[in-house]
Amino acid sequence: MTRPDNQHDKLTRDNLLDLEEHHLVRIESVQDDQRQVWVLTKRGHSEAKTLLEPKGIRVSVLREEKYDPVTGKLLGTGYDDHAAAVTSTAAELHRAGIGHRLGFQTEIGHRLGNGYVQRADLVVRAPASGVPVILLEIDRRTEDAHDLVHKLHRYWQWGRLLPPDADKHTVDLARSRPDAIEHIDHDKRLWRRIYPPTGREGLAPVAFVFADTTAAKVANTVAVLEETGRPYWAPRRYDTYHRGITALDYGQAVPVLVTALEQLQEHGADAAVWRRLGREGEQTLTAALDNPDGDALYRRQAARADAEEKQHRAAEREARRPVCTECGEKFTDQRWEETTTRDPWKTGNPYMCRTCWTDYLAGREAAEAARVQAAAPPEPEDDHDQEPGKLRGLFRRRA
């Protein structure tokens, strides 16, 4: 894996021979160009799990020896070239700085609800490179294109499973209707127990790497994947009341990338050699995995739509604001609220602003005071010319 294109690496060869002497590795097969495919023995696999396995990383499954029942010859047909392609893919990723040596795993099983196990040819964890996890399927065009669609479907199904110890409420919700699982957060699903969050929307990404084939065959296969596998990789429109939202919802989709091993070897895995299904052209690995038209765009568009809707509602409300019938001025918010109560006349004429109503009351009080004053009888005038003594004498004589 570290030097697949170096046929004269004496240090690697000597180390493998030393490990073989201790029955830790064995030669699986020899390719036509005399390169050897080495695998761990059962003893070596067990020791590697003890010594090399860091926390959170699992060693790939053991490649068991299979013998012909008649001749007793070791069987390795169909695995040799494919194993070399898987190793070469891992080597190209590692050479480009994507993932460390213990961040690669092969033949990792993903058990479905019906008991079927979908094995990924290669699982890469490279969080330092912006790729927390990616599942790779290496295809030498020995499988029909529709078989790859079935693989994609199974990865999509696996991403929708719940863990065996899921709480009853979550299980009941998932069983309530076929699409209920889409409303259950990814953190509560099985795949998040095994893989870290991808840092992007959607399920764990899958990449198809084509090897030892022609560009025409790759194009035909990708066309089938893109068309028939659309329910599994394609994003959806957001279910929102907002208008003008062009962002796409990748939350339930499997990001699917395609490339060719020859492109990785020629340009490097960190070059623009990855194509995302649903997009035109090739991008770098992280750019192909990103969703610039996804959740980030939705948040921006939704915030803009909220602001526009708020302005629209404010404009409509302003257009409905009452106008004083006396001065023509618009009501303040407080005066408007007073006129919308159950008995608006308690606060005055509901068709007049507070100032005009106050002036109206003041004018009415002044008019009433003037009317009362005008209707009152005149008070008698005092006779200041007569002396008090004479008046008393006058009243006495009359009495």
Side-chain angles (χ1 to χ4, degrees), residues 72-138:
K73 182 180 179 181
L74 180 66
L75 297 177
T77 56
Y79 180 85
D80 308 343
D81 293 334
H82 182 263
V86 172
T87 303
S88 296
T89 301
E92 293 303 327
L93 289 167
H94 182 259
R95 183 180 289 111
I98 302 173
H100 55 85
R101 290 183 180 88
L102 296 181
F104 295 88
Q105 299 169 271
T106 59
E107 294 295 315
I108 298 301
H110 303 84
R111 186 175 297 277
L112 300 175
N114 58 5
Y116 184 88
V117 179
Q118 176 61 52
R119 296 192 179 277
D121 292 330
L122 181 65
V123 175
V124 181
R125 302 184 190 222
S129 303
V131 187
V133 62
I134 186 170
L135 316 180
L136 292 101
E137 289 288 338
I138 315 303

Side-chain angles (χ1 to χ4, degrees), residues 2-3 6-21 25 27 34 36 38:
T2 55
R3 298 180 181 275
N6 192 337
Q7 302 180 22
H8 305 285
D9 192 338
K10 187 176 185 304
L11 177 61
T12 301
R13 184 172 65 251
D14 290 345
N15 286 333
L16 287 172
L17 292 173
D18 183 59
L19 293 172
E20 183 184 32
E21 184 178 348
V25 299
I27 298 176
Q34 299 307 308
Q36 297 172 329
W38 293 74

